[in-house]
Amino acid sequence: MLIALLELDEWPFILKVNLLLSIFFLILTLLFVGLVLYLRIQKNFKEAHRKKQETKFIDFANTFLFDDSINKSKELANFKFTNIKSSYDYKILIKQVLIFDENLKGESTALIKEIFYGLGLYRFLLKDLNRKEWFNKARALFAFSKLGIAVPDQLIMPLLQSKRVELKQHGILYFLNTSKTDPLVFLDNLEGRLTLWQQVLIENSLKSFEVEIPDFARWLNHKEDSIVVFCIKMILSFNQFQNIPFLIDCLDHTSENVRHQAIQVLQAMEVPEALQLMVAHFPEETAANKRSILYAISKIGTYKDLQTLVPFIHKEEENLQIDFYKISGLFGDEIPVKKLLNIETITKDWEDFQEYSINSSIGA
Amino acid sequence: MQRILIIEDNPMVVRSLEFKLKKEGYEVVVAEEGRQAMKLLLEETFDLILTDLMLPFVTGTQIIEHIKKTYPNIPVIVLSTSTQEDIITDAFKMGVDDFITKPFSPSELSLRVKRTLAKQ
């Protein structure tokens, strides 16, 4: 019967196709299962190797850190020779060095760095920094910045121009963590927008700085608006009152965002000298900046300053009119604030008010 | 030999503490999580407990409360990453003898252990 079954020539065509496909899919399934098993076994081996390496390293590092009786350089060389065979081994050790550095301080910090250099991890990471793949570069940058280990600036500067946000971010972190004298030097070479997240990151790092906070006026002429905006904010955060004249100059900046930030900071720093320029710019300003100027007047100006702006708030700028009424209210009973109450007639009321305001200022 | 119980889940920190304290002449027992620590406390006696606050299953705070209720004479040192003032003051209110923040200096920790044990 088996022989009869194997006489394929006598089989109908459809059965032949069926058999062929069955064999094909059986082989495919076997290959797939084999591949899954192979990957699983390989992963298990890798995992076991990682655990073994970690244990070996922790024991070695503890002996190195706490046992003064050993010959440290000999132990380092010995460990390197016997235990580091592949780039995977290097990666395992780098991670462990970072964990040690994160948990220990004091006399151990210098010894951890000694291990880092002695095992050739510095050289390995330098190679990573020169590799094509962005994740290798990012990993190297992360390790250098965490350990506070400086590498030649020319290797890092190009990364600040990277299109990968992660690389740029790690580049910024690297400078913040490693530079002892000029931690914001990277701003000179930074291209592209400084995101709000990056601004927060820098500001937080600055708060824990042990070195002198840099003078932010240095970057007020930067070609990237977001950097100028950030520096204006920092002038306020770090009370750099000596930079007020430069902030006033920012009111003439070509970027709307820079002018906006300058108005807000000058208001917060309570600089009445800036008011004259703000009022002069009011007619040409954008709606958002006009609004900021109105609020600046509420803090550092007078009702008279406010009144001079009335002709430049147009009847279609209803939001500004509301803001104007609100701010006028802050100056007491000098104007009829009740007009604000009827939103239906606000435009007509505004025209009346403009007339009233101009007449009263002529009268005054 | 004075016995120290370390309750900590970070293997690197455990091994370092173990290494350093054994070198200083203490007998060290390790519990990697809260439940194991509770069991050890029932079965064995210790002269000092060194504990983390963030632990799996039973938190460091619960362990401290238990120790202070059941074994009020055993001194407790907290080793934690937390630098928040309220967490530190809460720990002292519960009766801990010392609070060390991570990253820590092993030499300083060893001195604090010695000083706490000397007070007993």
Side-chain angles (χ1 to χ4, degrees):
Chain A
M1 190 180 169
L2 188 68
I3 293 164
L5 272 173
L6 290 172
E7 283 169 0
L8 294 174
D9 291 344
E10 290 167 23
W11 283 25
F13 175 73
I14 190 74
L15 269 181
K16 283 181 190 170
V17 172
N18 207 330
L19 179 70
L20 209 66
L21 283 174
S22 300
I23 293 169
F24 173 73
F25 282 113
L26 180 71
I27 292 169
L28 208 67
T29 311
L30 287 173
L31 277 175
F32 180 72
V33 171
L35 184 74
V36 169
L37 279 173
Y38 170 75
L39 289 174
R40 189 72 225 173
I41 291 166
Q42 200 197 33
K43 198 185 165 196
N44 284 351
F45 270 117
K46 228 177 158 181
E47 191 63 15
H49 177 70
R50 183 184 63 80
K51 280 187 179 159
K52 202 171 128 193
Q53 285 292 75
E54 279 179 4
T55 314
K56 273 186 190 171
F57 178 77
I58 291 175
D59 287 344
F60 161 74
N62 280 325
T63 315
F64 192 88
L65 294 176
F66 307 124
D67 192 347
D68 295 329
S69 63
I70 59 159
N71 180 341
K72 293 195 191 269
S73 51
K74 197 179 159 192
E75 286 292 321
L76 263 179
N78 196 21
F79 185 85
K80 188 180 172 186
F81 182 72
T82 47
N83 293 298
I84 310 179
K85 308 278 185 209
S86 64
S87 64
Y88 184 57
D89 289 334
Y90 275 107
K91 286 172 194 167
I92 295 168
L93 298 190
I94 288 164
K95 200 176 167 193
Q96 287 304 309
V97 167
L98 289 174
I99 295 174
F100 265 87
D101 187 68
E102 200 176 277
N103 285 288
L104 302 181
K105 67 173 183 184
E107 72 283 4
S108 306
T109 312
L111 289 170
I112 291 167
K113 286 205 177 119
E114 211 175 302
I115 293 176
F116 182 77
Y117 286 110
L119 294 183
L121 306 183
Y122 177 80
R123 277 168 165 243
F124 177 80
L125 284 175
L126 271 190
K127 275 186 201 160
D128 263 358
L129 215 51
N130 286 312
R131 276 184 228 269
K132 258 187 190 173
E133 303 86 3
W134 69 269
F135 47 85
N136 281 324
K137 290 175 194 278
R139 187 179 52 223
L141 268 179
F142 175 75
F144 284 132
S145 74
K146 272 278 191 190
L147 294 168
I149 288 174
V151 288
D153 273 3
Q154 65 267 26
L155 288 176
I156 313 287
M157 286 300 184
L159 304 180
L160 292 172
Q161 266 73 270
S162 170
K163 280 176 189 162
R164 297 283 327 187
V165 186
E166 297 91 339
L167 267 185
K168 211 169 159 181
Q169 195 105 323
H170 280 302
I172 292 173
L173 261 176
Y174 164 82
F175 279 103
L176 291 171
N177 289 342
T178 57
S179 177
K180 301 276 180 274
T181 49
D182 198 3
L184 296 186
V185 65
F186 65 89
L187 286 179
D188 294 335
N189 296 286
L190 198 65
E191 274 180 22
R193 216 174 127 251
L194 189 67
T195 63
L196 196 59
W197 176 245
Q198 287 163 345
Q199 293 183 28
V200 172
L201 180 90
I202 300 171
E203 189 177 356
N204 280 341
S205 299
L206 286 174
K207 281 175 186 162
S208 56
F209 259 19
E210 285 166 10
V211 295
E212 196 183 338
I213 298 293
D215 186 337
F216 288 97
R218 175 173 152 193
W219 296 284
L220 288 182
N221 292 317
H222 200 286
K223 61 181 177 185
E224 179 52 49
D225 297 345
S226 57
I227 293 176
V228 183
V229 167
F230 169 71
C231 289
I232 294 174
K233 284 185 204 165
M234 291 305 101
I235 287 174
L236 172 67
S237 280
F238 293 97
N239 295 322
Q240 294 185 343
F241 287 95
Q242 74 277 15
N243 290 327
I244 284 174
F246 303 114
L247 285 182
I248 294 175
D249 290 344
C250 286
L251 294 173
D252 288 318
H253 202 278
T254 49
S255 158
E256 178 195 344
N257 291 337
V258 171
R259 293 197 306 275
H260 183 79
Q261 196 59 52
I263 294 166
Q264 291 200 322
V265 168
L266 285 163
Q267 172 203 320
M269 290 176 108
E270 298 185 3
V271 185
E273 297 81 22
L275 211 60
Q276 202 183 351
L277 200 55
M278 286 186 205
V279 170
H281 284 182
F282 188 86
E284 287 86 39
E285 268 301 357
T286 59
N289 283 358
K290 276 184 175 176
R291 189 165 186 256
S292 292
I293 292 173
L294 288 178
Y295 280 94
I297 290 173
S298 75
K299 284 272 167 64
I300 52 176
T302 60
Y303 177 66
K304 264 196 172 174
D305 294 322
L306 196 65
Q307 211 179 15
T308 55
L309 303 182
V310 174
F312 307 109
I313 299 175
H314 308 297
K315 63 176 182 182
E316 63 277 7
E317 295 177 310
E318 288 173 3
N319 287 338
L320 271 182
Q321 290 161 26
I322 294 170
D323 286 323
F324 181 91
Y325 284 133
K326 270 189 340 204
I327 292 160
S328 300
L330 300 173
F331 287 104
D333 301 327
E334 293 184 58
I335 69 146
V337 184
K338 64 177 167 51
K339 285 184 187 294
L340 174 68
L341 296 174
N342 193 350
I343 201 79
E344 298 286 317
T345 58
I346 191 164
T347 308
K348 174 76 181 71
D349 289 344
W350 182 252
E351 283 173 321
D352 294 345
F353 179 66
Q354 275 184 318
E355 201 179 322
Y356 155 82
S357 188
I358 290 162
N359 289 340
S360 60
S361 65
I362 291 167
Chain B
M1 195 183 270
Q2 287 171 307
R3 302 188 85 227
I4 298 175
L5 172 65
I6 297 172
I7 314 169
E8 167 70 64
D9 60 339
N10 180 336
M12 179 258 131
V13 176
V14 168
R15 298 293 283 274
S16 293
L17 289 172
E18 209 180 350
F19 193 94
K20 179 78 182 164
L21 293 172
K22 273 185 180 169
K23 224 171 169 311
E24 303 278 328
Y26 301 107
E27 191 186 331
V28 179
V29 179
V30 175
E32 285 173 6
E33 41 99 353
R35 286 185 310 200
Q36 195 190 348
M38 298 284 208
K39 198 168 166 251
L40 280 167
L41 279 164
L42 271 177
E43 293 165 356
E44 299 175 35
T45 54
F46 297 98
D47 298 295
L48 185 134
I49 294 161
L50 198 59
T51 181
D52 190 3
L53 288 180
M54 301 283 279
L55 290 165
F57 307 120
V58 182
T59 66
T61 317
Q62 286 169 313
I63 291 172
I64 296 166
E65 272 174 0
H66 172 73
I67 295 167
K68 287 294 158 191
K69 207 182 279 175
T70 328
Y71 317 96
N73 294 326
I74 306 179
V76 178
I77 298 179
V78 173
L79 182 63
S80 169
T81 43
S82 178
T83 50
Q84 276 177 274
E85 212 179 300
D86 53 339
I87 291 178
I88 298 174
T89 43
D90 282 351
F92 278 111
K93 275 181 195 164
M94 277 193 286
V96 302
D97 298 79
D98 207 347
F99 197 107
I100 301 170
T101 51
K102 291 181 198 163
F104 65 96
S105 154
S107 313
E108 188 191 327
L109 179 129
S110 153
L111 283 172
R112 289 196 192 205
V113 166
K114 200 181 276 180
R115 194 190 60 181
T116 311
L117 283 169
K119 277 186 197 166
Q120 295 304 303

